Amino acid sequence: MKHSIYEAGIKENIFQRIDSLSAETQGRWGKLNATQMVRHLSEAARMTFGEIPMPDRSNFITRSLFKWMFITNKKIPGREKGKLQTFPEIDIVKLGLKTDDLYKEKERYKAIVERIITTDKLHKEHTVFGKMTKDEWGHLTYAHADYHLTQFNS
């Protein structure tokens, strides 16, 4: 379902789902544990500000069809069961990125989401989806969190 982090009640819903996670919460697919998943959400959200250098990986298909599917949160085949690969720049496992305790990771994620909501200075492009508006970043932020929280039954 298409939602945006800017919608009334959506941020609170995502934060409630994040808060329901414990360090013991198991994912239904993928390599991440709950703490790594929350850190991954934070790292991905930093892309919204251009804080992680990313090459242009976009093409006509990714800027049109894929962008539409992800931003509208379509449940595409392969979406679950770990068929989607993340970008190397935010791959917590392959990078060997150390995480803080789950509470600190949750607070880090909430702070960056608050920052997304309260600023107009968002990065103008996404590595795969091309040009992005503030509204599109809001939809993508929700869709990415929803994907991973569903992964962890939250």
Coordinates of all heavy atoms in Angstrom, one line a residue, residues 31 40 70 78-79 81-88 90-91 94 147:
K31 N 20.0 -12.1 5.8 CA 21.2 -12.3 6.7 C 21.2 -11.4 7.9 O 21.9 -11.7 8.8 CB 22.5 -12.1 5.9 CG 22.6 -12.9 4.7 CD 23.9 -12.5 3.9 CE 23.9 -13.3 2.6 NZ 24.9 -12.8 1.7
H40 N 20.7 -0.8 9.0 CA 20.6 -0.7 7.5 C 19.6 0.4 7.1 O 19.8 1.1 6.2 CB 20.2 -2.1 7.0 CG 19.8 -2.0 5.5 ND1 20.6 -1.8 4.5 CD2 18.5 -2.1 5.0 CE1 19.9 -1.9 3.4 NE2 18.6 -2.0 3.6
F70 N 8.5 0.5 -6.4 CA 9.0 0.7 -5.1 C 8.4 1.8 -4.3 O 8.0 1.7 -3.2 CB 10.6 0.9 -5.1 CG 11.3 -0.4 -5.2 CD1 11.5 -1.0 -6.5 CD2 11.8 -1.1 -4.1 CE1 12.1 -2.2 -6.6 CE2 12.5 -2.3 -4.2 CZ 12.6 -2.9 -5.5
G78 N 9.5 -11.9 -5.6 CA 10.9 -11.9 -5.2 C 11.1 -10.9 -4.1 O 12.2 -10.8 -3.6
R79 N 10.1 -10.1 -3.8 CA 10.3 -9.0 -2.8 C 10.7 -9.6 -1.5 O 11.5 -9.1 -0.7 CB 9.0 -8.2 -2.7 CG 9.1 -7.1 -1.7 CD 7.8 -6.3 -1.7 NE 7.8 -5.1 -1.0 CZ 7.5 -5.0 0.3 NH1 7.0 -6.0 1.0 NH2 7.6 -3.8 0.9
K81 N 11.7 -13.3 0.7 CA 12.6 -14.4 0.6 C 14.0 -14.0 0.3 O 14.8 -14.8 -0.2 CB 12.1 -15.4 -0.4 CG 10.6 -15.9 -0.2 CD 10.5 -16.6 1.2 CE 9.0 -17.1 1.3 NZ 8.6 -17.1 2.6
G82 N 14.3 -12.7 0.5 CA 15.7 -12.3 0.3 C 16.2 -12.2 -1.2 O 17.4 -12.3 -1.4
K83 N 15.3 -12.1 -2.1 CA 15.7 -12.1 -3.5 C 16.2 -10.7 -4.0 O 16.9 -10.6 -5.0 CB 14.5 -12.5 -4.4 CG 13.9 -13.8 -4.1 CD 14.5 -14.9 -4.9 CE 13.7 -16.1 -4.8 NZ 14.5 -17.3 -4.6
L84 N 15.9 -9.7 -3.2 CA 16.4 -8.4 -3.5 C 17.7 -8.1 -2.8 O 17.9 -8.4 -1.7 CB 15.4 -7.3 -3.1 CG 14.0 -7.4 -3.7 CD1 13.1 -6.3 -3.1 CD2 14.1 -7.2 -5.2
Q85 N 18.7 -7.6 -3.6 CA 20.0 -7.3 -3.0 C 20.1 -5.8 -2.8 O 19.6 -5.0 -3.5 CB 21.1 -7.7 -4.0 CG 21.1 -9.2 -4.4 CD 21.5 -10.0 -3.1 OE1 22.4 -9.7 -2.5 NE2 20.7 -11.0 -2.9
T86 N 20.8 -5.5 -1.7 CA 21.0 -4.1 -1.3 C 22.2 -3.5 -2.1 O 22.9 -4.3 -2.7 CB 21.1 -3.9 0.2 OG1 21.0 -2.5 0.5 CG2 22.4 -4.4 0.7
F87 N 22.4 -2.2 -2.0 CA 23.6 -1.6 -2.6 C 24.8 -1.9 -1.7 O 24.7 -1.9 -0.5 CB 23.3 -0.1 -2.7 CG 22.1 0.3 -3.4 CD1 21.1 1.0 -2.8 CD2 21.9 -0.1 -4.7 CE1 19.9 1.3 -3.4 CE2 20.7 0.2 -5.4 CZ 19.7 0.9 -4.8
P88 N 25.9 -2.1 -2.3 CA 27.2 -2.4 -1.6 C 27.5 -1.3 -0.5 O 28.0 -1.6 0.5 CB 28.3 -2.5 -2.6 CG 27.6 -2.4 -3.9 CD 26.2 -2.1 -3.8
I90 N 25.6 0.3 1.4 CA 24.8 0.2 2.7 C 24.5 -1.3 3.1 O 23.6 -1.6 3.8 CB 23.4 0.9 2.5 CG1 22.6 0.4 1.4 CG2 23.7 2.4 2.4 CD1 21.2 1.0 1.3
D91 N 25.4 -2.2 2.6 CA 25.3 -3.6 2.9 C 26.0 -3.8 4.2 O 27.2 -4.0 4.3 CB 25.9 -4.5 1.8 CG 25.6 -5.9 2.0 OD1 25.6 -6.4 3.2 OD2 25.4 -6.7 1.0
K94 N 28.2 -7.2 4.5 CA 29.5 -7.2 3.7 C 30.4 -6.1 4.1 O 31.6 -6.3 4.0 CB 29.1 -7.1 2.2 CG 28.5 -8.3 1.6 CD 28.3 -8.3 0.2 CE 27.7 -9.6 -0.3 NZ 27.2 -9.5 -1.7
Y147 N 9.1 -2.9 4.2 CA 9.7 -4.1 3.7 C 10.5 -4.8 4.8 O 10.3 -6.0 5.0 CB 10.6 -3.8 2.5 CG 11.4 -5.0 2.1 CD1 10.9 -6.0 1.3 CD2 12.8 -5.1 2.4 CE1 11.6 -7.1 0.9 CE2 13.5 -6.1 2.0 CZ 13.0 -7.1 1.2 OH 13.7 -8.2 0.8

